[in-house]
PDB file of all heavy atoms in Angstrom:
ATOM      1  N   ARG Q 275      21.932  27.418   1.922  1.00  0.00           N
ATOM      2  CA  ARG Q 275      20.697  28.185   1.681  1.00  0.00           C
ATOM      3  C   ARG Q 275      20.783  28.875   0.326  1.00  0.00           C
ATOM      4  O   ARG Q 275      19.807  28.979  -0.403  1.00  0.00           O
ATOM      5  CB  ARG Q 275      20.536  29.272   2.763  1.00  0.00           C
ATOM      6  CG  ARG Q 275      19.949  28.770   4.066  1.00  0.00           C
ATOM      7  CD  ARG Q 275      19.458  29.935   4.906  1.00  0.00           C
ATOM      8  NE  ARG Q 275      18.128  30.363   4.486  1.00  0.00           N
ATOM      9  CZ  ARG Q 275      17.834  31.548   4.006  1.00  0.00           C
ATOM     10  NH1 ARG Q 275      18.756  32.471   3.870  1.00  0.00           N
ATOM     11  NH2 ARG Q 275      16.603  31.845   3.653  1.00  0.00           N
ATOM     12  N   GLU Q 276      21.997  29.352   0.015  1.00  0.00           N
ATOM     13  CA  GLU Q 276      22.202  30.098  -1.236  1.00  0.00           C
ATOM     14  C   GLU Q 276      21.915  29.209  -2.457  1.00  0.00           C
ATOM     15  O   GLU Q 276      21.284  29.638  -3.410  1.00  0.00           O
ATOM     16  CB  GLU Q 276      23.644  30.639  -1.323  1.00  0.00           C
ATOM     17  CG  GLU Q 276      23.969  31.762  -0.337  1.00  0.00           C
ATOM     18  CD  GLU Q 276      23.972  31.310   1.129  1.00  0.00           C
ATOM     19  OE1 GLU Q 276      24.382  30.153   1.402  1.00  0.00           O
ATOM     20  OE2 GLU Q 276      23.538  32.098   1.992  1.00  0.00           O
ATOM     21  N   GLN Q 277      22.386  27.957  -2.371  1.00  0.00           N
ATOM     22  CA  GLN Q 277      22.146  27.026  -3.495  1.00  0.00           C
ATOM     23  C   GLN Q 277      20.647  26.823  -3.715  1.00  0.00           C
ATOM     24  O   GLN Q 277      20.173  26.847  -4.848  1.00  0.00           O
ATOM     25  CB  GLN Q 277      22.748  25.658  -3.170  1.00  0.00           C
ATOM     26  CG  GLN Q 277      24.137  25.422  -3.706  1.00  0.00           C
ATOM     27  CD  GLN Q 277      24.604  24.047  -3.237  1.00  0.00           C
ATOM     28  OE1 GLN Q 277      24.746  23.808  -2.047  1.00  0.00           O
ATOM     29  NE2 GLN Q 277      24.826  23.161  -4.181  1.00  0.00           N
ATOM     30  N   VAL Q 278      19.933  26.602  -2.594  1.00  0.00           N
ATOM     31  CA  VAL Q 278      18.492  26.360  -2.712  1.00  0.00           C
ATOM     32  C   VAL Q 278      17.806  27.612  -3.257  1.00  0.00           C
ATOM     33  O   VAL Q 278      16.987  27.536  -4.183  1.00  0.00           O
ATOM     34  CB  VAL Q 278      17.858  25.961  -1.350  1.00  0.00           C
ATOM     35  CG1 VAL Q 278      16.384  25.627  -1.516  1.00  0.00           C
ATOM     36  CG2 VAL Q 278      18.597  24.788  -0.720  1.00  0.00           C
ATOM     37  N   THR Q 279      18.176  28.777  -2.705  1.00  0.00           N
ATOM     38  CA  THR Q 279      17.549  30.025  -3.142  1.00  0.00           C
ATOM     39  C   THR Q 279      17.791  30.260  -4.640  1.00  0.00           C
ATOM     40  O   THR Q 279      16.874  30.654  -5.375  1.00  0.00           O
ATOM     41  CB  THR Q 279      18.110  31.212  -2.327  1.00  0.00           C
ATOM     42  OG1 THR Q 279      18.022  30.856  -0.945  1.00  0.00           O
ATOM     43  CG2 THR Q 279      17.330  32.486  -2.563  1.00  0.00           C
ATOM     44  N   ALA Q 280      19.019  29.967  -5.092  1.00  0.00           N
ATOM     45  CA  ALA Q 280      19.341  30.178  -6.512  1.00  0.00           C
ATOM     46  C   ALA Q 280      18.502  29.241  -7.390  1.00  0.00           C
ATOM     47  O   ALA Q 280      17.963  29.663  -8.428  1.00  0.00           O
ATOM     48  CB  ALA Q 280      20.832  29.933  -6.742  1.00  0.00           C
ATOM     49  N   ALA Q 281      18.357  27.981  -6.947  1.00  0.00           N
ATOM     50  CA  ALA Q 281      17.563  27.023  -7.737  1.00  0.00           C
ATOM     51  C   ALA Q 281      16.101  27.453  -7.779  1.00  0.00           C
ATOM     52  O   ALA Q 281      15.453  27.406  -8.828  1.00  0.00           O
ATOM     53  CB  ALA Q 281      17.688  25.625  -7.135  1.00  0.00           C
ATOM     54  N   LEU Q 282      15.583  27.917  -6.620  1.00  0.00           N
ATOM     55  CA  LEU Q 282      14.183  28.358  -6.571  1.00  0.00           C
ATOM     56  C   LEU Q 282      13.978  29.552  -7.494  1.00  0.00           C
ATOM     57  O   LEU Q 282      12.977  29.638  -8.221  1.00  0.00           O
ATOM     58  CB  LEU Q 282      13.783  28.716  -5.132  1.00  0.00           C
ATOM     59  CG  LEU Q 282      13.666  27.539  -4.154  1.00  0.00           C
ATOM     60  CD1 LEU Q 282      13.445  28.039  -2.729  1.00  0.00           C
ATOM     61  CD2 LEU Q 282      12.516  26.607  -4.563  1.00  0.00           C
ATOM     62  N   GLU Q 283      14.952  30.456  -7.478  1.00  0.00           N
ATOM     63  CA  GLU Q 283      14.857  31.662  -8.323  1.00  0.00           C
ATOM     64  C   GLU Q 283      14.795  31.253  -9.796  1.00  0.00           C
ATOM     65  O   GLU Q 283      13.984  31.765 -10.572  1.00  0.00           O
ATOM     66  CB  GLU Q 283      16.082  32.542  -8.068  1.00  0.00           C
ATOM     67  CG  GLU Q 283      15.862  33.986  -8.528  1.00  0.00           C
ATOM     68  CD  GLU Q 283      17.051  34.838  -8.102  1.00  0.00           C
ATOM     69  OE1 GLU Q 283      17.407  34.786  -6.904  1.00  0.00           O
ATOM     70  OE2 GLU Q 283      17.638  35.496  -8.973  1.00  0.00           O
ATOM     71  N   GLU Q 284      15.634  30.278 -10.150  1.00  0.00           N
ATOM     72  CA  GLU Q 284      15.635  29.804 -11.543  1.00  0.00           C
ATOM     73  C   GLU Q 284      14.263  29.225 -11.925  1.00  0.00           C
ATOM     74  O   GLU Q 284      13.859  29.292 -13.085  1.00  0.00           O
ATOM     75  CB  GLU Q 284      16.719  28.725 -11.685  1.00  0.00           C
ATOM     76  CG  GLU Q 284      17.127  28.545 -13.127  1.00  0.00           C
ATOM     77  CD  GLU Q 284      18.345  27.640 -13.265  1.00  0.00           C
ATOM     78  OE1 GLU Q 284      19.207  27.625 -12.360  1.00  0.00           O
ATOM     79  OE2 GLU Q 284      18.414  26.952 -14.301  1.00  0.00           O
ATOM     80  N   MET Q 285      13.560  28.685 -10.916  1.00  0.00           N
ATOM     81  CA  MET Q 285      12.230  28.126 -11.178  1.00  0.00           C
ATOM     82  C   MET Q 285      11.133  29.185 -11.080  1.00  0.00           C
ATOM     83  O   MET Q 285       9.950  28.873 -11.212  1.00  0.00           O
ATOM     84  CB  MET Q 285      11.927  27.008 -10.158  1.00  0.00           C
ATOM     85  CG  MET Q 285      12.801  25.791 -10.339  1.00  0.00           C
ATOM     86  SD  MET Q 285      12.635  24.638  -8.942  1.00  0.00           S
ATOM     87  CE  MET Q 285      10.911  24.202  -9.021  1.00  0.00           C
ATOM     88  N   GLY Q 286      11.536  30.415 -10.773  1.00  0.00           N
ATOM     89  CA  GLY Q 286      10.555  31.494 -10.653  1.00  0.00           C
ATOM     90  C   GLY Q 286       9.807  31.461  -9.333  1.00  0.00           C
ATOM     91  O   GLY Q 286       8.678  31.952  -9.232  1.00  0.00           O
ATOM     92  N   LEU Q 287      10.417  30.858  -8.299  1.00  0.00           N
ATOM     93  CA  LEU Q 287       9.754  30.761  -6.993  1.00  0.00           C
ATOM     94  C   LEU Q 287      10.486  31.633  -5.970  1.00  0.00           C
ATOM     95  O   LEU Q 287      11.725  31.738  -6.015  1.00  0.00           O
ATOM     96  CB  LEU Q 287       9.754  29.310  -6.501  1.00  0.00           C
ATOM     97  CG  LEU Q 287       8.911  28.328  -7.319  1.00  0.00           C
ATOM     98  CD1 LEU Q 287       9.230  26.887  -6.913  1.00  0.00           C
ATOM     99  CD2 LEU Q 287       7.427  28.601  -7.132  1.00  0.00           C
ATOM    100  N   PRO Q 288       9.739  32.225  -5.020  1.00  0.00           N
ATOM    101  CA  PRO Q 288      10.386  33.061  -4.006  1.00  0.00           C
ATOM    102  C   PRO Q 288      11.203  32.229  -3.018  1.00  0.00           C
ATOM    103  O   PRO Q 288      10.890  31.054  -2.791  1.00  0.00           O
ATOM    104  CB  PRO Q 288       9.209  33.736  -3.291  1.00  0.00           C
ATOM    105  CG  PRO Q 288       8.046  32.847  -3.536  1.00  0.00           C
ATOM    106  CD  PRO Q 288       8.275  32.178  -4.852  1.00  0.00           C
ATOM    107  N   ALA Q 289      12.212  32.841  -2.399  1.00  0.00           N
ATOM    108  CA  ALA Q 289      13.080  32.133  -1.439  1.00  0.00           C
ATOM    109  C   ALA Q 289      12.303  31.682  -0.206  1.00  0.00           C
ATOM    110  O   ALA Q 289      12.731  30.776   0.503  1.00  0.00           O
ATOM    111  CB  ALA Q 289      14.236  33.037  -1.033  1.00  0.00           C
TER     112      ALA Q 289
END
Side-chain angles (χ1 to χ4, degrees):
R275 279 196 82 242
E276 290 67 35
Q277 265 177 297
V278 184
T279 310
L282 290 173
E283 199 174 309
E284 200 171 328
M285 292 169 61
L287 293 168

